[in-house]
Amino acid sequence: MSHYDFFQNKECEYFPCHPGADPEQFSCLFCYCPLYALGDDCGGSFTYNEKGIKDCSRCLRPHCRENYGIICQKLREVLELVKKNHRTGEKP
């Protein structure tokens, strides 16, 4: 077991910030999901609200220790998106 793939902030006023999450297994390492920018391709459980904003409140994918490697792999897609947008001058 590694120690870099899990972090908790039990003193956070929102901990755990997702309904139904197991507080003992909940990782705060990716507090704000780094895959949010991938939209539909993030691989998580999300919906879009009536204003078209992505709602990830029911997604626990980045908060599970066993998903650390998957999140890191998917970060490559985020970096490619940033590179593409930089080259074309597009805004995400």
Side-chain angles (χ1 to χ4, degrees):
M1 175 169 67
S2 55
H3 296 282
Y4 58 82
D5 59 2
F6 187 84
F7 168 77
Q8 284 189 327
N9 181 8
K10 290 186 176 182
E11 293 185 25
C12 174
E13 58 272 21
Y14 302 106
F15 182 85
C17 58
H18 290 263
D22 177 357
E24 296 306 312
Q25 301 299 316
F26 191 86
S27 177
C28 304
L29 186 62
F30 298 117
C31 177
Y32 290 94
C33 184
L35 307 182
Y36 184 89
L38 294 177
D40 293 345
D41 295 328
C42 71
S45 302
F46 62 89
T47 58
Y48 287 100
N49 70 18
E50 63 280 350
K51 294 181 180 179
I53 298 171
K54 191 173 171 185
D55 175 2
C56 306
S57 61
R58 291 186 176 23
C59 182
L60 295 174
R61 188 174 196 217
H63 301 292
C64 298
R65 173 179 245 151
E66 62 269 13
N67 291 336
Y68 175 83
I70 294 166
I71 299 296
C72 289
Q73 286 176 335
K74 293 285 284 182
L75 275 171
R76 291 185 182 123
E77 292 178 37
V78 173
L79 294 174
E80 288 304 315
L81 181 65
V82 169
K83 285 181 194 176
K84 175 187 168 210
N85 289 342
H86 179 72
R87 283 192 300 268
T88 63
E90 295 177 27
K91 302 285 183 198

